[in-house]
Amino acid sequence: MKGDKNVNIQALKDMANKLRIDSIVATNASKSGHPTSCASMAEIMSVLFFHTMRYKISAPRDPSSDRFILSKGHAAPILYAAWAEAGLFPVEDLKNLRKFESDLEGHPTPRLSFIDVGTGSLGQGLAVAAGMAYVGKYFDQTPYRVYCLVGDGEAAEGSIWEALHFASHYKLDNLVVIFDVNRLGQSEPTSLQHQMDVYDARLKAFGFHSLVVDGHDVSELIKAFDEAATVTGKPTAVIAKTYKGKGFPNIEDKENWHGKALGAEGEKIIKHLQAQITDGGVSLSARAPTADAPRVHLRDVTLSAPPAYERAQRVATRLAYGTALRKLADTNMRVIALDGDTKNSTFSDKLRNAYPERYVECFIAEQTLVGVAMGAACRQRAIVFASTFAAFFTRTFDQVTSSTSSTSTTSPTSPT
Amino acid sequence: MGAISQSDMNLVGSHCGVSIGEDGPSQMGLEDLALFRAVPTATVFYPSDAVSTERAVELAANTKGICYIRTSRPETAIIYDSDTVFKVGEAKIVRESAQDKVLLIGAGITLHEALAAADDLQKKGVSARVLDPFTVKPLDERAVREHARAAGGRVVVVEDHYQAGGLGEAVLSALAAERDVVVRHLCVRSVPRSGAPAQLVDAFGLSARHVAAAAQELLQL
């Protein structure tokens, strides 16, 4: 752990304002987007991407790297800005935001080399992050960490609370959830506004190591993330009190600025932000991962034995599923099964009985079941089978459609 | 930039349709095929016996994108030899003759109803061809068209699913541009209720006698 005295606090403050400026420039170029939603998380992004997180610019989806999931996907411009400022692509390219010819889409999709899952349908990112953290802690057993930024607006989604329950139950101490509590939703203030004590009490009740911080104080954020890294046996929630449009005079903390480019105001605000930057040429780089994730082989998976039935037999296809799942698991250590407390009906318990460490009970929380499955499958870490009653996948349709913006637009191909 | 990730997630839904029986409609998957067929990157398996189910699981593990496997609660007969090879998008013809007058298409429990209907029809002197789609998406549209034509342009498709978006509509889409083909679509057309599985399969019009009757009606046209 680096001591604070080694950290250039001013450089991180400058970077936060650069990220704000980048977000204004990009959204003004596209004449649309969410610059005020970016501004509230500028210091969080600066600290995560230029101090806390360990990752590789040369390989944005390297399995050994820390993961960052932007659950509030509408703040995409500042995520793109962070990767550009870290050196992945020219900052100038940010002006192509939302253009048909560019992969810098309105909300993040995995067309981009540094995005694991599509976000933007709110409330979904945390279950995905929990799936990644589960794999990191229990399968990869590699010290990469998972950071998920959740907006306070989307904290009203039930799927967030399902995922918190999952993360806490499985003691995912490699997971940090950052709540960007900027007080304002799209059309009005959020239900809790800046009642930080209420968030804190809820997160503690859910079994999190919870910290309330000033989300615009770089030093406090550094301390919080450092502390999170020392916590064992529970995930950490960093509840950041922030202001929507922070640093934008006459816009900060004001309603009716959600999802609007700043337009003519933008130039004045950029000058205002530039005046606060002490080193305009500030350049910070990513820290490298500390350990390599194990190499895994996920291709050409086969049943350990061919189907073995007599013509006179009568067998339910659900039972044959369990039999086959177990036979796949025999031949590949990374075949895992998830279920929503129906394992003795779907017969996913066949895998659990043979390889209990490769079974993940998601309890009766199907949105989390599918979100965790998506996260566990990311970066080619595992072959994931998630089962429940067919009827109960209907409530996961949002996750299922998001998974399609997490995949290629080409048709699925059969194995050769 | 530009590399596109492939999230390989396999979802498996059991207890599809009215054939689960006594638990009633809240536990019956009756829209799941519509849901997953609507997803552009999805592959949808609907295996009809234990052999093909095991191979569906193996194929899903090796298939890019989201895979959905629909499984059933009732015990059903083994249709295939253990060494049968299955492929995504490749249907199986489980019964055929040169005299076939109608094509019966079913999946899961309804494939077994279609086979029983083919037995009944045979007793009445009508030869029926029976097709198992194996994957509903992609559907083996070429096989559906080819065998529909070979069976005199008469098709009965039967599924344990609501009318919209399931196997029946997939078959109808495949045949939309075919001249001289008529299709009867048997499916669950109202909200079901509790009851014994076989009782519900019959009451909602999916049983062998309904399939045979639909085939006979087509022969009258």
Side-chain angles (χ1 to χ4, degrees):
Chain A
M1 197 65 54
K2 283 186 177 171
D4 271 8
K5 60 174 178 270
N6 296 325
V7 180
N8 187 341
I9 298 291
Q10 187 58 46
L12 291 170
K13 289 181 179 174
D14 287 351
M15 182 57 78
N17 279 323
K18 280 184 90 167
L19 297 175
R20 283 195 175 91
I21 292 168
D22 291 342
S23 303
I24 295 170
V25 169
T27 50
N28 262 4
S30 67
K31 298 186 175 62
S32 67
H34 302 74
T36 59
S37 303
C38 295
S40 67
M41 51 184 280
E43 281 76 19
I44 295 167
M45 291 300 276
S46 176
V47 170
L48 283 176
F49 276 75
F50 301 100
H51 175 75
T52 300
M53 279 174 29
R54 294 181 168 275
Y55 61 105
K56 297 177 188 170
I57 288 296
S58 60
R61 278 199 291 248
D62 188 291
S64 308
S65 295
D66 289 347
R67 278 79 163 142
F68 177 79
I69 296 94
L70 180 65
S71 189
K72 50 174 270 191
H74 53 282
I78 198 163
L79 175 59
Y80 303 161
W83 281 97
E85 295 287 356
L88 182 62
F89 59 92
V91 171
E92 189 66 16
D93 286 1
L94 295 170
K95 289 180 182 163
N96 296 324
L97 179 71
R98 294 176 166 238
K99 292 202 172 88
F100 183 70
E101 299 77 16
S102 171
D103 287 336
L104 296 171
E105 297 189 74
H107 293 74
T109 73
R111 287 201 178 87
L112 293 161
S113 63
F114 54 93
I115 301 295
D116 291 291
V117 294
T119 53
S121 180
L122 294 173
Q124 295 194 13
L126 187 54
V128 174
M132 292 172 161
Y134 191 100
V135 167
K137 183 175 171 72
Y138 294 107
F139 298 131
D140 283 343
Q141 298 180 15
T142 302
Y144 63 75
R145 298 176 65 73
V146 183
Y147 297 89
C148 179
L149 192 139
V150 174
D152 55 348
E154 66 174 327
E157 295 275 10
S159 50
I160 293 289
W161 298 90
E162 281 189 14
L164 290 168
H165 165 259
F166 177 93
S168 161
H169 178 76
Y170 288 109
K171 303 178 169 38
L172 300 180
D173 46 20
N174 54 348
L175 174 68
V176 179
V177 187
I178 305 111
F179 285 89
D180 175 16
V181 186
N182 67 20
R183 193 183 76 82
L184 296 174
Q186 172 170 318
S187 66
E188 66 169 90
T190 61
S191 59
L192 294 177
Q193 301 204 36
H194 271 151
Q195 295 180 62
M196 308 308 288
D197 53 334
V198 176
Y199 283 103
D200 189 43
R202 288 184 186 177
L203 268 298
K204 284 188 166 68
F206 267 68
F208 273 63
H209 180 72
S210 172
L211 299 159
V212 175
V213 300
D214 174 348
H216 297 304
D217 185 322
V218 164
S219 300
E220 269 196 53
L221 288 165
I222 290 171
K223 232 175 95 183
F225 293 129
D226 283 353
E227 183 176 321
T230 67
V231 174
T232 55
K234 52 170 72 173
T236 293
V238 174
I239 308 170
K241 183 178 181 182
T242 60
Y243 291 91
K244 197 157 177 168
K246 173 70 179 178
F248 301 175
N250 304 317
I251 291 173
E252 179 179 320
D253 201 33
K254 288 207 163 43
E255 290 187 52
N256 298 317
W257 276 102
H258 179 91
K260 287 178 185 165
L262 303 189
E265 291 292 300
E267 285 310 312
K268 277 186 280 179
I269 292 168
I270 288 170
K271 286 201 177 71
H272 170 79
L273 291 166
Q274 279 169 339
Q276 296 168 55
I277 295 176
T278 57
D279 176 9
V282 62
S283 172
L284 297 166
S285 51
R287 296 199 297 172
T290 53
D292 288 337
R295 293 169 69 94
V296 297
H297 183 83
L298 303 184
R299 291 177 187 280
D300 309 319
V301 193
T302 55
L303 300 173
S304 56
Y309 301 97
E310 299 297 326
R311 285 290 181 133
Q313 271 182 283
R314 292 178 65 82
V315 181
T317 55
R318 61 176 172 141
L319 177 58
Y321 163 65
T323 302
L325 181 64
R326 186 252 152 95
K327 287 201 266 185
L328 274 187
D330 288 341
T331 68
N332 190 304
M333 296 285 290
R334 290 289 175 133
V335 171
I336 67 170
L338 286 62
D339 204 299
D341 193 19
T342 55
K343 57 188 171 292
N344 53 346
S345 293
T346 62
F347 289 109
S348 62
D349 65 356
K350 294 261 185 189
L351 180 142
R352 176 178 174 263
N353 295 341
Y355 306 104
E357 72 287 355
R358 280 194 264 156
Y359 175 82
V360 186
E361 180 57 64
C362 294
F363 303 99
I364 301 172
E366 290 83 7
Q367 294 184 78
T368 285
L369 170 70
V370 175
V372 168
M374 281 169 67
C378 283
R379 302 198 186 190
Q380 301 289 309
R381 295 284 87 197
I383 296 170
V384 184
F385 283 84
S387 48
T388 183
F389 283 21
F392 308 145
F393 278 117
T394 53
R395 60 151 63 79
T396 74
F397 194 42
D398 198 28
Q399 281 77 8
V400 169
T401 56
S402 282
S403 84
T404 65
S405 52
S406 303
T407 60
S408 161
T409 50
T410 57
S411 300
T413 52
S414 55
T416 49
Chain B
M1 283 186 286
I4 294 167
S5 79
Q6 291 267 10
S7 167
D8 299 321
M9 177 170 63
N10 306 295
L11 304 179
V12 181
S14 69
H15 294 65
C16 66
V18 300
S19 55
I20 71 160
E22 292 82 354
D23 274 343
S26 69
Q27 311 296 299
M28 298 168 175
L30 288 158
E31 308 93 347
D32 54 317
L33 290 176
L35 189 155
F36 286 100
R37 276 188 68 228
V39 174
T41 54
T43 301
V44 179
F45 296 88
Y46 189 4
S48 298
D49 82 339
V51 175
S52 53
T53 301
E54 288 202 28
R55 293 305 183 190
V57 174
E58 188 177 43
L59 285 164
N62 290 285
T63 300
K64 294 288 181 194
I66 186 169
C67 288
Y68 177 66
I69 304 174
R70 187 182 213 226
T71 66
S72 305
R73 182 170 180 267
E75 293 178 344
T76 45
I78 304 296
I79 297 171
Y80 297 105
D81 292 332
S82 290
D83 58 356
T84 307
V85 176
F86 290 86
K87 289 181 182 164
V88 171
E90 191 176 284
K92 297 283 185 212
I93 296 298
V94 291
R95 179 172 307 194
E96 72 180 316
S97 76
Q99 293 76 46
D100 293 336
K101 295 285 185 288
V102 61
L103 174 66
L104 310 180
I105 302 176
I109 64 119
T110 63
L111 184 71
H112 299 270
E113 298 297 332
L115 284 166
D119 289 341
D120 293 347
L121 289 164
Q122 195 65 58
K123 284 174 198 154
K124 292 165 185 152
V126 177
S127 285
R129 189 166 297 194
V130 180
L131 182 146
D132 168 7
F134 183 57
T135 53
V136 177
K137 180 188 174 77
L139 180 69
D140 189 346
E141 297 194 337
R142 217 172 97 178
V144 169
R145 286 193 282 264
E146 179 189 323
H147 293 286
R149 282 194 296 266
R154 298 176 199 90
V155 179
V156 178
V157 56
V158 53
E159 61 180 326
D160 197 355
H161 186 275
Y162 283 140
Q163 181 187 4
L167 172 63
E169 291 199 342
V171 166
L172 285 161
S173 289
L175 296 170
E178 291 297 298
R179 290 184 189 281
D180 305 322
V181 173
V182 287
V183 180
R184 281 293 311 273
H185 179 195
L186 306 184
C187 56
V188 181
R189 289 179 187 272
S190 58
V191 178
R193 54 183 297 128
S194 289
Q199 190 180 20
L200 293 180
V201 168
D202 189 58
F204 287 90
L206 314 179
S207 62
R209 71 181 179 96
H210 292 287
V211 177
Q216 295 280 23
E217 281 173 36
L218 289 180
L219 286 158
Q220 306 296 318
L221 292 177

